[in-house]
Amino acid sequence: MRLLGSIVLLLVVGSALAYKTYSGYQVLKTAPLTPNVMPYINKMSRIYDFWGTPVVGRPATVMVSPEEASVVNAAFNRLRISHEIMIEDLAPIVEKDFAEQERLMRAIPRQPRVAVYDRYMTYDEINAHVHETIAANPSVASLVDLGLSTEGRELHGIKLSNGAAGQPTVWFDCAIHAREWIAPPVCLRIIDEVLADPALRDLADWYVLPVANPDGYSFSTTDSRFWRKTRRPNPGSTCVGTDPNRNFDFLWDSAGAYCDETFPGSSAFSEPECAGIGNFIAANADSLVLYVALHSYGSLILYPFGHTIEPVPNADDLFAAGQKSADVIASVSGTVYSVENSAAGLYFTFGASDDYAYGIGAAGYAYTYELPGGGLAGFNPPPSRIQGVVDETWPGLKTLVEYTIANPTFPILPTKK
Ligand code: 0X9
Ligand code: ZN
């Protein structure tokens, strides 16, 4: 009996410790960033884990391990960036979130072909949902097969179409950054809506990839809640993974170390997840009107480029369409998005997916949506918030599609007639 007790105890403790506890990890919050500190924030953001996107005029938040805390504090002090501890210890937050997720998994079982919006779904559930949805709607839905992830998970999305030839194409991917859990439900809502409304399918062929980084997403649900990157091992390093949003083959920049949060990979498109999306974009360049990557957090609608503040030739069109979408979201729920050129307001980036879609001349309209943050730690809106975010974002995305189809524009390297 005593042995049985010990085994039970071991199992309980074992499962409680199956994930990274983040014990002693802190989150620091700065005063609103001024333009003169941005170059330094830029450099720091390559190495340290800035949450949400650092934007001029807004406070930045950065997660630090116990080892990193004094270095980052000292750097902020040297730069005279005033800051405070926003979260003293992440461990109880992570523990509570995982416990809540486990409880909800038991309480809310998934039904076939029904997306769940009152808890976060696992990758396996989402992938099953994608396949069931396609099987049940063969006349309008078909499989988008982008291959396999590094760990062998299917990179499977859905195409929704009225079957007519020559339709414009619109693309949405979600959770290329693993921890940005609020994105996949938005992708699933797009699928629900377009399936239900033939008029939307007359507008365009819709392509939706609900989990663009399934290895990372799965890892963040089971092991390490704040995992961002892919899960490909790096040779000779204990630091795993590449930042997939620095791995696209447009102005890819090799600078970066394996352990950096924004490590760009060993070469452009070294990550199969990115190569899969990139191949799709290149192959559909003639019909692609709109590319959207859904991320979190920050309530931002970002448009190219990320590497220069020099406006792209059709910046006015990109801004106008983004602002239309933001206006609709604000009118639905009051959530205020700000529409920004990626580089002007934020840090500089190379090899991001939106810049690839725009920069190779495929999509005249290309965006990153940073969905709203939530929860104590930004990336963890409580499950009860999912429905609200989905309800406000969908009308904004629908408007974006309607507007961009009605108002043709072209990227810098027009390949279209
Ligand atoms: O840094 C990123 O990859 C995105 N922010 S996040 O907090 N989700 O990591 C922003 C990417 C915006 N697009 C470009 N800079 N091109
Ligand atoms: Zn992201």
Side-chain angles (χ1 to χ4, degrees):
M1 195 56 209
R2 208 191 288 149
L3 181 64
L4 186 65
S6 312
I7 291 173
V8 169
L9 184 71
L10 257 179
L11 285 175
V12 171
V13 173
S15 78
L17 293 181
Y19 53 83
K20 177 166 165 171
T21 62
Y22 290 91
S23 175
Y25 277 63
Q26 294 182 333
V27 180
L28 309 178
K29 183 178 179 182
T30 69
L33 299 172
T34 50
N36 60 315
V37 301
M38 287 315 278
Y40 305 101
I41 295 287
N42 243 318
K43 284 200 182 116
M44 288 177 75
S45 72
R46 290 194 163 199
I47 301 167
Y48 300 108
D49 194 351
F50 278 80
W51 282 5
T53 315
V55 184
V56 176
R58 294 190 188 184
T61 44
V62 58
M63 176 176 77
V64 288
S65 67
E67 299 76 43
E68 290 168 338
S70 57
V71 189
V72 173
N73 268 304
F76 282 158
N77 289 337
R78 227 177 17 254
L79 296 166
R80 295 186 204 292
I81 300 176
S82 58
H83 57 286
E84 59 184 25
I85 297 176
M86 186 174 108
I87 299 173
E88 183 71 55
D89 183 10
L90 268 170
I93 295 174
V94 170
E95 202 171 308
K96 191 167 152 273
D97 269 18
F98 270 117
E100 175 70 348
Q101 174 69 3
E102 268 174 40
R103 189 185 69 76
L104 290 173
M105 289 285 294
R106 284 191 299 272
I108 310 169
R110 183 184 80 86
Q111 311 293 329
R113 298 183 307 285
V114 182
V116 180
Y117 297 109
D118 39 13
R119 68 165 167 83
Y120 292 104
M121 295 172 82
T122 64
Y123 162 76
D124 287 338
E125 289 181 310
I126 293 173
N127 200 36
H129 176 74
V130 163
H131 287 131
E132 291 161 1
T133 303
I134 293 166
N137 301 277
S139 59
V140 294
S142 55
L143 180 70
V144 182
D145 184 353
L146 302 181
L148 297 177
S149 69
T150 292
E151 292 179 347
R153 292 185 178 84
E154 290 169 340
L155 300 165
H156 284 178
I158 295 193
K159 174 185 180 185
L160 298 161
S161 169
N162 67 7
Q167 290 266 88
T169 296
V170 294
W171 167 276
F172 300 86
D173 59 66
C174 286
I176 201 165
H177 284 146
R179 62 193 175 190
E180 298 168 5
W181 289 7
I182 193 67
V186 174
C187 266
L188 295 178
R189 175 66 176 270
I190 298 170
I191 294 167
D192 282 354
E193 293 284 345
V194 182
L195 257 183
D197 186 353
L200 291 173
R201 301 194 298 272
D202 290 342
L203 212 53
D205 285 353
W206 298 64
Y207 290 80
V208 186
L209 180 63
V211 185
N213 173 9
D215 298 348
Y217 182 82
S218 301
F219 190 70
S220 77
T221 58
T222 55
D223 288 71
S224 190
R225 176 62 189 88
F226 299 112
W227 191 258
R228 168 183 171 96
K229 299 192 276 184
T230 61
R231 289 295 302 161
R232 202 154 76 91
N234 290 307
S237 172
T238 51
C239 292
V240 172
T242 286
D243 184 345
N245 213 28
R246 302 291 180 275
N247 190 243
F248 282 71
D249 194 9
F250 177 73
L251 294 182
W252 178 78
D253 176 7
S254 64
Y258 292 150
C259 298
D260 292 358
E261 280 303 319
T262 55
F263 175 58
S266 50
S267 59
F269 286 153
S270 59
E271 305 311 286
E273 298 83 0
C274 305
I277 297 174
N279 288 338
F280 175 91
I281 292 171
N284 292 278
D286 285 348
S287 61
L288 194 65
V289 166
L290 170 67
Y291 170 88
V292 181
L294 289 133
H295 288 244
S296 78
Y297 57 90
S299 305
L300 295 162
I301 298 175
L302 304 170
Y303 59 88
F305 279 125
H307 68 282
T308 170
I309 58 168
E310 184 68 33
V312 294
N314 65 340
D316 289 351
D317 291 344
L318 280 155
F319 179 82
Q323 192 56 53
K324 263 257 172 315
S325 177
D327 290 347
V328 168
I329 296 174
S331 74
V332 169
S333 64
T335 298
V336 177
Y337 273 77
S338 103
V339 185
E340 310 256 4
N341 158 257
S342 289
L346 325 174
Y347 41 30
F348 278 22
T349 53
F350 296 84
S353 67
D354 50 2
D355 289 344
Y356 176 81
Y358 183 90
I360 67 159
Y365 288 105
Y367 297 92
T368 293
Y369 274 58
E370 296 283 1
L371 297 166
L376 276 169
F379 294 108
N380 62 346
S384 56
R385 262 297 280 153
I386 299 172
Q387 191 67 57
V389 172
V390 163
D391 285 348
E392 70 182 21
T393 314
W394 161 248
L397 294 176
K398 180 180 176 210
T399 297
L400 186 74
V401 171
E402 289 166 346
Y403 184 93
T404 54
I405 300 241
N407 295 277
T409 193
F410 296 96
I412 44 164
L413 306 166
T415 57
K416 295 173 199 181
K417 288 148 241 143

